[in-house]
């Protein structure tokens, strides 16, 4: 038996199987139920949204010997013939390869023949916009007044290319993009039937990449199932040629901190991994879109995106969307698209290069400084309250009399040295191996430098993060899991990594990790 693609095997057979086109389905079912079908239909809309499938279902139910509430029974002789593409009264043609006036005249000459088995002779003309003007003219009279036993179903993705004379003779139905939830539900049903599984994040990534086209989603799902029976988000990203989320998170944090060296180092790593610059630009735009939703709604599915939205602010997010959207549009015609991507990244990192940087760039920076000073004031107030609460009554201080030598002169008393804070643990073989492994990694090295080794035991590391953000990037950015995986590959042992935050971020003043940028 010849192999069939997944979207062909699971093509909808009833109107109830068509997802995301409720209005179209309800009207067609009512017309079939009332035995009042139109003489000519026009199905228009984006690719992969069910136009041809709906046309086949309509042709099947019109010739069904036992229709049930506007649906085909799929059991009678005519339904079985239609499902096997052997129904003689359903003529499906591709206008892209049969677009001449002779093909139109052939249809016009044969419409007068009565159907052989069914009640209607149904002509399905796909990609009808490819017909020539002469072919359209030859079909006009037939489309306007066909015989009572003939139904025309025209399908197109470019309705604007059709003559108005054709549009006025057809009952038009506009198909829309399918919602991601319907696509995910459909994929789950198909996975159950083929005996495969998939992660929820993987299915969401496929639905997002399909752009609202069910056929595209099933094509991507089929490729992923060829890799593994358990589809993960990493498999989907590999099949689509996308950059990993952890790399994008590091890039966003570097841009938010205006760290040009780190940002360009991460972007270079992504490009060297073979990811196309157009895909990177699309992923970056999608990331800023998620930040925008998180900034407007005050919540989001991804906590890292919510935190990034707070760091960029609404003006910064809008500016980034504008810059990368412009770069993405220009990259389509550029001989070297990566250069435009790098230029867009540099524009974000150098806001002073804008023609009018006073707004919103300076406002954005001033807002960040104000927020930072407000946070510092709150921390100082909290620390002051704690000290006032636990501070005991000071004991009376006795004056220290200077000692005198034999000649009656005061002796120089050396000052009392304060006890130095406890030093960090000396790097052992494991921590030394980690630092050496990631010595050339531009994205991981700053994170590791922001961590202090507290204790190293056999198969275990205890680290202290410089601040909560550093800990979040270490654990949720994928670096922790990556180190553990590389350690197991190198030594065949598991590595436990525990990272903690300082209990007190301030101690009698500003902490060394709290920095305030001063703008000249």
């Amino acid at each position: 038996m010849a192999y069939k693609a997944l979207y062909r095997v699971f093509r909808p057979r009833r109107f109830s199987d068509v997802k995301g086109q409720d209005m179209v389905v309800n009207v067609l079912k009512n017309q079939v139920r009332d035995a009042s079908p139109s003489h000519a239909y026009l199905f228009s809309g984006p690719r992969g949204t069910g136009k041809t499938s709906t046309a086949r279902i309509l042709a099947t139910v019109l010739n069904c010997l036992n229709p049930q509430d506007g649906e085909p029974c799929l059991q009678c002789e005519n339904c079985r013939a239609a499902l096997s593409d052997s129904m003689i009264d359903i003529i499906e043609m591709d206008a892209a390869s049969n677009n001449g006036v002779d093909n139109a005249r052939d249809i016009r000459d044969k419409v007068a023949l009565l159907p052989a088995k069914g009640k209607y002779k149904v002509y399905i003309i796909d990609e009808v916009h490819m017909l020539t003007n002469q072919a359209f003219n030859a079909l006009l009279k037939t489309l306007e007044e066909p015989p009572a036993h003939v139904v025309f179903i025209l399908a197109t993705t470019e309705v604007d290319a059709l003559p108005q004379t054709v549009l006025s003779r057809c009952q038009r139905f506009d198909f829309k993009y399918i919602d991601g939830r319907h696509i995910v539900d459909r994929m789950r049903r198909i996975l159950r039937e083929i005996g495969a599984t998939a992660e929820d994040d993987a299915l969401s990534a496929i639905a997002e990449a399909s752009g609202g086209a069910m056929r595209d989603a099933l094509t991507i799902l089929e490729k992923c199932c060829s890799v593994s029976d358990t589809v993960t988000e990493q498999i989907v990203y590999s099949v689509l040629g996308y950059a990993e989320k952890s790399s994008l998170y590091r890039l966003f944090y570097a841009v938010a901190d205006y760290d040009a060296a780190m940002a360009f180092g991460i972007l270079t790593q992504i490009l060297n991994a073979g990811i196309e610059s157009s895909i990177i630009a699309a992923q970056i735009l999608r990331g800023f879109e998620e930040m925008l939703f998180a900034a407007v709604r005050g919540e989001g599915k991804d906590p890292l995106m919510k935190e990034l939205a707070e760091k960029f602010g609404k003006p910064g997010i809008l500016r980034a969307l504008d810059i990368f959207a412009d770069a993405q549009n220009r990259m389509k015609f550029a001989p070297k698209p990566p250069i435009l991507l790098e230029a867009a990244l540099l524009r974000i990192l150098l806001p002073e290069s804008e023609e009018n940087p006073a707004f919103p760039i300076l406002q954005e920076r001033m807002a960040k400084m104000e927020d930072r000073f407000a946070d510092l004031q709150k921390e100082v107030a909290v620390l002051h309250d704690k000290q006032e609460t636990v501070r005991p009554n000071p004991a009376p201080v006795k004056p220290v009399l200077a000692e005198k030598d034999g000649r009656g002169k005061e002796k120089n008393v050396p000052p009392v040295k304060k006890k130095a804070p406890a030093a960090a643990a000396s790097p052992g073989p494991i921590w030394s191996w980690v630092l050496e492994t990631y010595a050339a990694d531009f994205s991981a090295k700053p994170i590791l430098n922001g961590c202090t080794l507290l204790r190293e035991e056999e198969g275990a590391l205890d680290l202290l993060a410089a601040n909560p953000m550093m800990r979040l990037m270490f654990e949720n950015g994928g670096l922790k899991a990556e180190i553990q995986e590389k350690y197991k590959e190198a030594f065949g042992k598991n590595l436990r990594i525990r990272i903690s935050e300082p209990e007190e971020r301030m101690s009698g003043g500003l902490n060394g990790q709290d920095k305030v940028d001063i703008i000249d």
Side-chain angles (χ1 to χ4, degrees):
M1 183 177 179
Y3 172 77
K4 280 189 176 183
L6 205 60
Y7 72 86
R8 293 184 60 193
V9 175
F10 294 96
R11 184 187 291 272
R13 298 183 177 183
R14 291 186 172 91
F15 285 126
S16 59
D17 296 334
V18 180
K19 302 297 182 181
Q21 315 295 344
D22 296 339
M23 181 58 67
V24 176
V25 167
N26 291 334
V27 173
L28 294 178
K29 286 179 65 175
N30 291 335
Q31 290 184 353
V32 173
R33 190 185 300 114
D34 299 338
S36 58
S38 176
H39 67 279
Y41 294 93
L42 175 62
F43 294 168
S44 64
R47 72 188 191 284
T49 53
K51 299 185 298 297
T52 305
S53 298
T54 305
R56 291 184 177 184
I57 295 171
L58 179 59
T60 303
V61 73
L62 288 176
N63 288 302
C64 179
L65 301 177
N66 185 28
Q68 302 171 358
D69 192 29
E71 296 275 16
C73 68
L74 303 181
Q75 302 297 327
C76 65
E77 179 184 357
N78 288 351
C79 286
R80 293 197 301 268
L83 293 177
S84 61
D85 297 333
S86 60
M87 181 63 177
I88 193 173
D89 293 326
I90 300 177
I91 301 96
E92 185 173 352
M93 59 177 291
D94 179 20
S97 54
N98 300 279
N99 58 358
V101 65
D102 293 336
N103 303 110
R105 289 172 179 170
D106 184 61
I107 295 174
R108 184 188 62 186
D109 296 339
K110 292 181 179 179
V111 294
L113 300 177
L114 294 174
K117 291 185 176 181
K119 293 178 285 186
Y120 293 93
K121 180 177 286 188
V122 183
Y123 285 88
I124 302 175
I125 306 178
D126 203 5
E127 301 297 335
V128 69
H129 63 273
M130 299 296 291
L131 290 178
T132 62
N133 290 331
Q134 293 81 2
F136 277 123
N137 292 333
L139 278 178
L140 283 181
K141 190 62 178 177
T142 306
L143 281 175
E144 184 176 9
E145 297 178 357
H149 59 268
V150 173
V151 174
F152 285 97
I153 306 177
L154 313 180
T156 180
T157 55
E158 299 181 17
V159 67
D160 294 336
L162 299 181
Q164 290 295 326
T165 51
V166 173
L167 295 176
S168 63
R169 288 166 168 79
C170 299
Q171 195 170 101
R172 176 175 168 179
F173 292 89
D174 292 326
F175 287 65
K176 60 184 180 180
Y177 285 113
I178 304 175
D179 188 80
R181 294 171 297 176
H182 294 307
I183 295 178
V184 171
D185 292 341
R186 181 65 174 168
M187 288 191 292
R188 283 201 183 102
R189 291 180 56 188
I190 292 175
L191 287 171
R192 284 196 296 267
E193 294 192 29
I194 65 177
T197 58
E199 297 176 352
D200 292 340
D201 292 341
L203 296 180
S204 299
I206 294 176
E208 181 182 334
S210 67
M214 183 71 76
R215 182 173 62 230
D216 292 359
L218 297 184
T219 301
I220 298 172
L221 180 64
E222 185 176 14
K223 292 171 65 177
C224 294
C225 290
S226 300
V227 178
S228 173
D229 290 336
T230 302
V231 181
T232 63
E233 187 178 22
Q234 186 176 5
I235 292 176
V236 175
Y237 274 51
S238 299
V239 168
L240 295 174
Y242 284 1
E244 294 183 358
K245 270 189 175 181
S246 59
S247 300
L248 292 176
Y249 285 145
R250 297 172 186 173
L251 179 63
F252 288 138
Y253 274 108
V255 173
D257 294 335
Y258 292 95
D259 191 339
M262 179 185 287
F264 271 88
I266 296 171
L267 181 60
T268 302
Q269 284 185 343
I270 297 175
L271 290 171
N272 291 341
I275 311 298
E276 293 185 9
S277 53
S278 59
I279 293 179
I280 300 174
Q283 286 188 272
I284 292 175
L285 281 172
R286 177 58 182 165
F288 279 111
E289 182 185 8
E290 292 182 17
M291 293 182 213
L292 183 62
F293 286 145
V296 173
R297 298 173 181 173
E299 59 182 9
K301 297 184 298 182
D302 193 336
L304 290 179
M305 284 300 177
K306 183 179 178 181
E307 183 178 345
L308 284 167
E310 295 175 354
K311 289 175 67 66
F312 277 99
K314 294 178 184 177
I317 296 174
L318 292 175
R319 175 171 167 268
L321 284 170
D322 182 62
I323 291 175
F324 277 104
D326 178 66
Q328 186 184 44
N329 187 44
R330 293 163 56 199
M331 283 164 59
K332 300 176 183 177
F333 312 100
K336 292 185 177 181
I339 297 178
L340 294 179
L341 184 63
E342 294 169 349
L345 184 62
L346 187 60
R347 281 183 60 189
I348 293 181
L349 294 169
L350 298 176
E352 57 271 13
S353 64
E354 300 290 333
E355 295 181 0
N356 185 15
F359 185 82
I361 305 307
L362 290 182
Q363 281 193 349
E364 176 186 347
R365 284 196 170 185
M366 288 297 297
K368 286 185 176 182
M369 290 182 63
E370 291 174 358
D371 293 341
R372 185 61 188 147
F373 277 118
D375 293 340
L376 291 176
Q377 289 176 352
K378 291 179 182 179
E379 292 176 0
V380 171
V382 172
L383 183 61
H384 179 72
D385 293 340
K386 289 182 179 180
Q387 290 177 346
E388 290 294 334
T389 303
V390 301
R391 179 181 295 169
N393 294 327
V397 181
K398 297 181 179 180
V400 179
L401 301 177
E403 298 181 8
K404 296 183 179 181
D405 55 13
R407 300 179 182 178
K409 295 184 178 181
E410 295 182 353
K411 295 172 62 176
N412 292 329
V413 180
V416 179
K417 295 183 179 180
K418 295 183 179 180
K419 186 178 180 180
S426 301
I430 301 178
W431 185 240
S432 301
W433 174 83
V434 171
L435 296 177
E436 182 179 354
T437 303
Y438 289 90
D441 194 326
F442 289 101
S443 59
K445 188 176 179 180
I447 301 177
L448 294 175
N449 290 340
C451 298
T452 303
L453 177 65
L454 295 180
R455 183 172 54 186
E456 177 177 329
E457 299 175 353
E458 184 177 356
L461 286 176
D462 286 349
L463 306 177
L464 176 67
N467 51 55
M469 185 184 302
M470 195 66 68
R471 176 187 178 186
L472 193 64
M473 293 177 64
F474 187 90
E475 291 185 336
N476 297 347
L479 181 59
K480 176 180 177 180
E482 184 179 333
I483 293 175
Q484 291 173 329
E485 184 179 352
K486 287 187 176 181
Y487 185 83
K488 188 171 184 179
E489 291 178 358
F491 303 102
K493 299 179 181 179
N494 294 325
L495 177 62
R496 180 185 64 80
I497 302 177
R498 185 176 65 182
I499 181 168
S500 57
E501 303 172 8
E503 295 182 0
E504 297 289 344
R505 296 186 59 194
M506 300 184 62
S507 178
L510 295 181
N511 187 285
Q513 298 297 331
D514 294 328
K515 298 180 181 179
V516 180
D517 295 331
I518 303 300
I519 302 177
D520 295 333

